[in-house]
């Protein structure tokens, strides 16, 4: 088998594929040979390019089902097929629940849970008509697997997204595979808003077992694999791309010296 995954002839849609993680996913798919279409409310500051090729952009409000449906109708008319959909668009500002209120929470859930559902429903027929079926990858978050203070509605939406993917994987088998890539912390052009200057980013990276934040290309490589023929028996799965997770806080708080033969974790 070839060592490099070849997605030549594939058509991929990446929602929110104009910057950060989404742009990294789009570039990885371009490098693997796929035709890539990105969509978001606003165009990228500069074209998303890789391997001498450029992702095509369409402006779409993913929270509007009619606009999403029209977008996938355009994909059908221009490409005649769709092999993989990456539901990447999402995010949230840091805001405690009591400060944001229910309307803020509803908007966060709409973007991070309902928008991926809208896109998946609109893409379903096109995906399942492909010669070998299609795949959907949800971009999840560790915020959906643990308490997420300051981003509680986001964490709840991401937990729901993973469950949605597992249900879709059962309902839409065998023609459409559905998986989740669960992210930890990723270094993007907006990292300074969360972690401060380079010293802050490096300090946060040292809390990850692998010693650094993920790069968008790390997420892109996972998405390429799940879209490829090497993942044809993977569906309903959650792939953790978090560098080993988070060191338990009690390990740093404990004052007990661990000695040989001590079975206490």
């Amino acid at each position: 088998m070839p060592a490099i995954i070849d997605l030549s002839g594939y058509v991929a849609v990446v929602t929110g594929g104009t910057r950060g993680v989404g742009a990294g996913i789009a570039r990885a798919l371009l490098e693997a040979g796929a035709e890539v279409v990105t969509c978001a409310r606003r165009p990228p500051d500069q074209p998303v390019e890789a391997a001498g090729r450029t992702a095509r952009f369409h402006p779409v409000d993913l929270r509007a089902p009619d606009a999403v449906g029209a977008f996938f109708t355009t994909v059908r008319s221009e490409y005649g097929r769709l092999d993989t959909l990456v539901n990447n668009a999402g995010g949230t500002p840091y805001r405690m629940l009591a400060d944001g209120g229910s309307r803020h929470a509803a908007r966060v859930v709409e973007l991070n849970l309902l928008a991926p559902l809208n896109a998946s429903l609109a893409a379903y027929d096109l995906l399942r008509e492909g010669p070998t079926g299609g795949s959907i990858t949800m971009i999840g978050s560790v915020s959906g697997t643990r308490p997420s203070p300051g981003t509680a509605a986001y964490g709840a939406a991401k937990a729901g997204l993973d469950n949605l993917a597992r249900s879709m994987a059962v309902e839409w088998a065998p023609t459409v595979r559905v998986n989740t890539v669960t992210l930890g912390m990723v270094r993007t052009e907006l990292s300074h808003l969360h972690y401060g200057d380079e010293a802050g980013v490096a300090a946060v990276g040292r809390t990850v077992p692998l010693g650094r934040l993920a790069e968008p290309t790390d997420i892109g490589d996972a998405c390429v694999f799940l879209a490829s023929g090497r993942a044809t028996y993977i569906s309903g799965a959650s792939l953790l791309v978090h560098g080993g997770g988070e060191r338990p806080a009690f390990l740093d708080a404990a004052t007990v010296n661990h000695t040989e033969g001590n079975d206490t974790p």
Side-chain angles (χ1 to χ4, degrees), residues 101-111 114 153:
S102 60
R103 289 186 179 179
H104 169 74
R107 289 194 297 270
V108 171
V109 172
E110 184 180 30
L111 176 60
L114 297 183

Side-chain angles (χ1 to χ4, degrees), residues 79-146:
Y79 295 94
R81 63 186 287 173
L82 178 62
D83 299 278
T84 189
L85 165 64
V86 182
N87 280 310
N88 163 78
T92 184
Y94 182 90
R95 188 172 298 171
M96 302 301 284
L97 275 173
D99 297 330
S102 60
R103 289 186 179 179
H104 169 74
R107 289 194 297 270
V108 171
V109 172
E110 184 180 30
L111 176 60
N112 290 281
L113 178 58
L114 297 183
L117 175 58
N118 290 340
S120 299
L121 288 169
Y124 173 61
D125 284 338
L126 192 51
L127 285 165
R128 70 190 181 99
E129 291 168 6
T132 59
S135 73
I136 297 172
T137 300
M138 306 293 196
I139 300 302
S141 170
V142 294
S143 294
T145 67
R146 51 139 171 84

Side-chain angles (χ1 to χ4, degrees), residues 40-101:
R41 285 187 298 166
R42 292 181 292 273
D45 294 332
Q46 55 188 6
V48 178
E49 300 174 325
R53 300 165 60 243
T54 304
R56 187 168 181 182
F57 171 77
H58 286 267
V60 180
D61 184 349
L62 292 160
R63 297 167 297 181
D66 289 345
V68 174
F71 166 67
F72 282 101
T73 297
T74 299
V75 172
R76 178 189 288 277
S77 66
E78 294 185 353
Y79 295 94
R81 63 186 287 173
L82 178 62
D83 299 278
T84 189
L85 165 64
V86 182
N87 280 310
N88 163 78
T92 184
Y94 182 90
R95 188 172 298 171
M96 302 301 284
L97 275 173
D99 297 330

